[in-house]
Amino acid sequence: MGSYNLTHLKELEAEAIFVIREVVAQFENPVLLFSGGKDSIVCYHLARKAFYPAKVPFPLMHVDTGHNFPETIQFRDKLIEETGARLIVGSVQQSIDEGKSTEEKGVNASRNKLQTVTLLDAIEANKFDCAMGGARRDEEKARAKERFFSHRDDFGQWDPKNQRPELWNTFNGKKNMGEHFRVFPISNWTEMDIWQYILAEKIDIPSIYFSHTRDCFVRDGVIMGKTDFVETKDTEEVQPMVVRFRTIGDATCTGAVASTAATLEEIIEEVASTRVTERGGRSDDKRSEAAMEDRKKEGYF
Amino acid sequence: MEKSYLNMDLLRFTTAGSVDDGKSTLIGRLLYDSKSIFEDQMEAIQQVSDRKGEEHVNLALLTDGLRDEREQGITIDVAYRYFATPQRKFIIADTPGHIQYTRNMVTGASTANLAIILIDARHGIVEQTKRHSFIASLLGIPHIVYCINKMDLVDYSQEVYNTLVDDLEDFSAKLETKDVRFIPISALKGDNVVHRSEKMGWFEGATLMHTLETVHIASDHNHIDCRFPIQNVIRPQTTEHHDYRGYAGRIAGGVFKKGDAVMVLPSGFTSKIKSIDTFDGEIDEAFAPMSVTMTLEDDIDISRGDMIVRENNKPEVSQDIEAMICWMGDSPLKEKGKYALKHTSKDARCMVKEIKYKVDINTLHRNEADKVISSNDVARVTLRTTSPLFIDQYGRNRNTGSLILIDEATNNTVGAGMII
């Protein structure tokens, strides 16, 4: 690069930091949604950069389905402890116990969709006026239309056909009482950018992103980790497999990939040569062609 | 590969074209030939194409993300696409061809380094070509590439191409854009998109992909006029950083160096840059579009909306703003109407003092008689703001030369302003 030209990772970093700082300037009570996945870890890292040497001036919130891989929760708790962040946990189990959500039934039952109820409840209970998230536009086609600053009405709903135009880097976070915003600082990052950034910045991520041996079974062509939360059918054979996860979500709907990539460099090689999108292993997106759009309209992240 | 990846830069471009000019095919071709379409995406659109009984895989389905768009076969909103080659990473702002055209293209164009404008070789310059060119020029996109598409349908004729280029050169001479290029392509067959055309040996220029990979973008940012709009004040209030007071923001222009004498607007107080801080340590200089935190030698009262500049190179400080406005509101722009305004990190209110004329975006003619400015119209206006803005001409700096207008009743963004 010439002396006054940034590399694309530095430019994306500068853009994300700018967006996070705008959130703190324009909203009274923002929160960063934190799943323990790599995208939210990168967002938190960017937030620390944005306000250094001060502490991150907002809490993190984990919408916990209760169906986690234990490695994710261990990682989350360690990161919180080391960096002194404030963590709020919104519990899907609690929403179910309080009768606000109803558990899905059958072998494909997942709590993924139920997160929306818990998320909206937690936003209301904590009076958050902005929830930042690590969603990226390259993940899914409905997300490709998402704004950096995404307005939600007082039911938390997204109206994709009536979005505010977003010009230059001038973000309009004005809203009425009861409404809130979702803000996506890493909108313009791709999966490859995230991995390259994690490598360049030496960011810690949960161990399940790296190749390991785990008891798995195959459902609809997707490798699923065997956990207490998923019922297996008689025809599904559980056996140890060498896998890693490309995304970390609810354990009931997040698929693994057969992989021997045990280092960041090997993961990057694998991502560069892979021919399936990272959400290709998410059965929640496979429910219908517009599955993501429908969930997003209701207030999913 | 890792080393080259860390050395890549970023080109943002927008694609414009009228209906059926092959824009989706071109984007599909760029994504496909750069191996950015994945198997599961391809499978999904193959299934939909089959179900609809379409003969070819419809690459437009890749870019149409919303249910209504797929059902109606139209594109409603700007969609962002990503791909990379070993040289560069690309962000495409794909803007729809008809509905809310101006609004969407202005949105996509506002952050673009380059615009691709597609022209059907059989039809030549049409009304949309002029409109797209004008918007690209108005939004200050530094590079325009006219792709003369569907060359396969005119027998790859050099004569057809040359005639079209002559017409385009005449027309584009009226635009602000200095870097204008022409490439004959067939998006469908792949000629001159990623691979050089065997059918058009007469064309000596670069392919579209080569152009995208090599166009010089380092000077697209202003590195001359120092502008640092303050976003936040960083005050850790910890024992370790007890008296720390840093000013966080993104450099909007120029190069700031440690030790530089600076002035703070609007107060006019002067000081020196004590440090330029980042999470990764202190740095000696910062330039657009970096996000940094500055500390100053002197204790000055500075808050969000203020701007740090050089004393001998100040922006204009004014409450009377001349601007071209692209209107996006559902109800027309009101003369004497009041709106909220955002300019860099500064919030203000303004009154529309005067609508001077409407621009016919197809002919560029000024219409002083027609002052009804509806959605998707462009008009020259004079604004009076409640407090002074620190402005540059849009052509000089897209960060400090742009503003948005917000309807105070609905909170919607209703206008995009380019300061003259």
Side-chain angles (χ1 to χ4, degrees):
Chain A
M1 288 302 100
S3 54
Y4 294 130
N5 202 14
L6 294 182
T7 66
H8 84 286
L9 281 180
K10 283 287 173 197
E11 186 169 340
L12 290 173
E13 180 192 72
E15 177 180 82
I17 288 174
F18 175 81
V19 171
I20 295 168
R21 286 171 170 173
E22 275 305 289
V23 165
V24 168
Q26 294 196 31
F27 298 97
E28 278 172 23
N29 195 14
V31 65
L32 173 64
L33 300 176
F34 186 84
S35 67
K38 65 183 189 316
D39 299 324
S40 58
I41 292 167
V42 165
C43 279
Y44 178 49
H45 184 77
L46 291 162
R48 291 174 65 201
K49 286 196 161 194
F51 302 100
Y52 174 85
K55 277 192 170 179
V56 174
F58 43 77
L60 312 187
M61 181 163 74
H62 182 205
V63 178
D64 184 1
T65 62
H67 292 168
N68 300 291
F69 294 108
E71 294 92 332
T72 316
I73 298 300
Q74 284 159 17
F75 177 88
R76 179 194 79 184
D77 293 343
K78 184 165 153 271
L79 182 70
I80 297 300
E81 195 189 316
E82 283 173 2
T83 60
R86 190 154 72 84
L87 178 75
I88 295 164
V89 177
S91 162
V92 172
Q93 184 63 53
Q94 197 182 332
S95 302
I96 294 169
D97 295 345
E98 289 170 1
K100 291 173 174 165
S101 302
T102 310
E103 189 105 62
E104 291 184 5
K105 301 216 165 47
V107 285
N108 284 322
S110 164
R111 289 182 169 181
N112 193 60
K113 203 172 171 226
L114 305 187
Q115 291 178 94
T116 305
V117 173
T118 309
L119 172 65
L120 293 176
D121 269 3
I123 286 173
E124 204 170 310
N126 290 283
K127 297 193 165 52
F128 292 128
D129 53 357
C130 173
M132 282 175 277
R136 310 188 321 264
R137 287 171 179 156
D138 79 319
E139 281 180 90
E140 207 278 336
K141 55 194 178 223
R143 283 190 170 163
K145 308 251 156 166
E146 184 62 272
R147 302 291 192 258
F148 275 94
F149 271 49
S150 183
H151 177 256
R152 299 302 151 104
D153 65 17
D154 44 4
F155 295 100
Q157 296 185 100
W158 183 53
D159 182 3
K161 283 192 288 182
N162 199 18
Q163 300 191 77
R164 291 180 186 176
E166 204 158 77
L167 298 135
W168 301 286
N169 296 301
T170 314
F171 298 111
N172 173 5
K174 287 186 191 286
K175 57 177 173 27
N176 292 318
M177 284 287 284
E179 299 174 343
H180 75 277
F181 269 75
R182 300 290 171 85
V183 172
F184 307 104
I186 57 169
S187 288
N188 277 332
W189 299 46
T190 61
E191 183 186 16
M192 187 54 139
D193 297 329
I194 293 286
W195 284 116
Q196 290 286 353
Y197 189 73
I198 288 170
L199 176 66
E201 296 282 309
K202 302 184 177 66
I203 300 171
D204 268 342
I205 51 170
S207 58
I208 66 172
Y209 279 115
F210 299 100
S211 178
H212 58 284
T213 304
R214 168 183 298 267
D215 283 340
C216 295
F217 63 95
V218 178
R219 174 175 295 169
D220 300 332
V222 177
I223 302 171
M224 305 289 291
K226 169 73 183 136
T227 61
D228 297 341
F229 325 117
V230 194
E231 285 178 47
T232 47
K233 300 176 201 164
D234 295 342
T235 51
E236 289 167 341
E237 189 192 341
V238 177
Q239 55 181 342
M241 295 171 79
V242 178
V243 296
R244 65 175 204 88
F245 290 87
R246 285 178 77 186
T247 66
I248 293 185
D250 186 286
T252 59
C253 65
T254 306
V257 287
S259 168
T260 56
T263 65
L264 285 172
E265 286 85 350
E266 285 167 5
I267 289 174
I268 286 165
E269 283 297 325
E270 190 182 283
V271 171
S273 58
T274 191
R275 301 299 299 136
V276 178
T277 60
E278 117 200 76
R279 293 192 77 92
R282 300 275 297 232
S283 54
D284 45 335
D285 290 345
K286 290 196 167 176
R287 290 188 169 190
S288 88
E289 205 193 349
M292 173 67 93
E293 182 184 339
D294 293 343
R295 276 180 290 140
K296 276 183 69 70
K297 280 180 181 167
E298 289 165 14
Y300 186 76
F301 31 89
Chain B
M1 96 141 242
E2 180 206 324
K3 193 165 178 287
S4 70
Y5 195 90
L6 294 177
N7 260 318
M8 284 159 59
D9 58 5
L10 179 60
L11 176 80
R12 299 171 198 251
F13 69 92
T14 177
T15 51
S18 41
V19 186
D20 297 331
D21 57 8
K23 184 161 65 74
S24 299
T25 315
L26 178 67
I27 292 174
R29 173 66 62 186
L30 286 169
L31 296 176
Y32 193 77
D33 284 3
S34 64
K35 301 189 169 51
S36 307
I37 296 179
F38 294 101
E39 276 169 12
D40 54 330
Q41 290 175 318
M42 202 64 189
E43 237 170 67
I45 62 167
Q46 175 94 54
Q47 280 174 9
V48 177
S49 295
D50 287 351
R51 205 164 60 223
K52 289 187 172 170
E54 287 169 1
E55 197 178 328
H56 299 286
V57 175
N58 184 353
L59 288 172
L61 293 170
L62 276 173
T63 47
D64 293 342
L66 304 175
R67 188 200 300 267
D68 285 356
E69 294 179 321
R70 286 189 301 274
E71 284 173 0
Q72 298 168 36
I74 53 160
T75 311
I76 291 168
D77 201 0
V78 185
Y80 294 89
R81 303 285 147 200
Y82 303 84
F83 71 100
T85 69
Q87 276 68 44
R88 249 178 201 166
K89 172 182 162 133
F90 299 95
I91 301 179
I92 313 176
D94 180 21
T95 53
H98 35 128
I99 294 179
Q100 294 278 16
Y101 191 81
T102 306
R103 164 183 163 149
N104 284 313
M105 188 174 165
V106 165
T107 303
S110 70
T111 51
N113 306 87
L114 180 145
I116 294 176
I117 298 178
L118 276 159
I119 292 164
D120 188 323
R122 296 169 304 171
H123 304 142
I125 300 181
V126 294
E127 204 171 88
Q128 277 101 330
T129 315
K130 295 183 183 173
R131 193 192 307 170
H132 302 155
S133 304
F134 172 61
I135 294 171
S137 165
L138 182 71
L139 270 290
I141 300 183
H143 318 276
I144 295 181
V145 179
Y146 288 101
C147 284
I148 322 297
N149 192 22
K150 304 196 181 180
M151 287 299 291
D152 52 312
L153 300 181
V154 295
D155 297 326
Y156 298 104
S157 160
Q158 186 175 9
E159 203 188 323
V160 169
Y161 172 74
N162 284 344
T163 311
L164 256 169
V165 168
D166 284 346
D167 291 352
L168 282 167
E169 276 180 339
D170 284 349
F171 164 74
S172 61
K174 288 183 250 168
L175 304 174
E176 300 285 333
T177 314
K178 296 287 169 283
D179 181 18
V180 178
R181 303 167 193 223
F182 311 93
I183 305 173
I185 66 165
S186 165
L188 188 67
K189 305 277 166 86
D191 294 273
N192 287 338
V193 178
V194 174
H195 307 292
R196 181 158 276 288
S197 171
E198 288 173 13
K199 304 273 175 40
M200 291 182 279
W202 48 263
F203 179 68
E204 288 172 357
T207 61
L208 176 59
M209 185 67 99
H210 186 76
T211 305
L212 294 175
E213 283 179 325
T214 55
V215 64
H216 182 69
I217 52 170
S219 50
D220 289 357
H221 286 286
N222 177 321
H223 294 310
I224 298 162
D225 312 310
C226 290
R227 307 286 184 258
F228 185 60
I230 309 301
Q231 273 187 287
N232 323 76
V233 180
I234 308 271
R235 299 196 64 186
Q237 292 169 316
T238 55
T239 331
E240 195 189 343
H241 302 282
H242 193 266
D243 295 320
Y244 189 93
R245 193 177 166 88
Y247 306 105
R250 195 174 187 190
I251 312 281
V255 181
F256 287 89
K257 294 189 169 72
K258 185 178 173 174
D260 277 355
V262 291
M263 174 181 264
V264 181
L265 295 175
S267 67
F269 289 129
T270 56
S271 184
K272 278 187 176 161
I273 298 175
K274 185 175 167 190
S275 66
I276 303 172
D277 296 335
T278 74
F279 183 83
D280 305 301
E282 236 188 83
I283 53 175
D284 292 330
E285 59 178 13
F287 51 90
M290 289 168 71
S291 286
V292 297
T293 301
M294 276 186 208
T295 60
L296 300 182
E297 294 284 359
D298 304 277
D299 215 0
I300 305 175
D301 181 25
I302 303 178
S303 53
R304 177 173 166 89
D306 293 356
M307 192 184 280
I308 295 178
V309 302
R310 301 290 294 267
E311 192 173 358
N312 58 3
N313 178 349
K314 286 180 293 211
E316 190 185 335
V317 179
S318 177
Q319 285 178 261
D320 295 294
I321 314 288
E322 294 289 323
M324 297 296 281
I325 296 279
C326 174
W327 194 247
M328 302 172 167
D330 292 332
S331 51
L333 170 68
K334 289 192 281 283
E335 197 160 33
K336 308 293 175 211
K338 294 190 175 75
Y339 298 93
L341 176 152
K342 275 183 186 283
H343 171 257
T344 70
S345 57
K346 197 171 170 64
D347 279 280
R349 297 180 69 222
C350 73
M351 188 191 57
V352 180
K353 257 170 73 179
E354 189 189 357
I355 298 172
K356 292 196 163 161
Y357 55 81
K358 178 151 102 181
V359 181
D360 182 327
I361 55 173
N362 297 318
T363 60
L364 307 194
H365 286 149
R366 297 169 179 190
N367 189 339
E368 289 176 15
D370 183 2
K371 293 189 177 176
V372 181
I373 312 300
S374 308
S375 189
N376 296 304
D377 285 342
V378 174
R380 165 84 186 256
V381 301
T382 307
L383 307 174
R384 172 78 186 175
T385 58
T386 46
S387 59
L389 305 184
F390 321 125
I391 55 170
D392 291 294
Q393 281 182 7
Y394 185 77
R396 180 112 185 138
N397 191 323
R398 287 166 96 182
N399 298 314
T400 51
S402 59
L403 55 86
I404 64 169
L405 297 183
I406 297 164
D407 184 313
E408 291 180 301
T410 63
N411 292 325
N412 278 329
T413 304
V414 288
M418 278 72 54
I419 296 166
I420 294 167

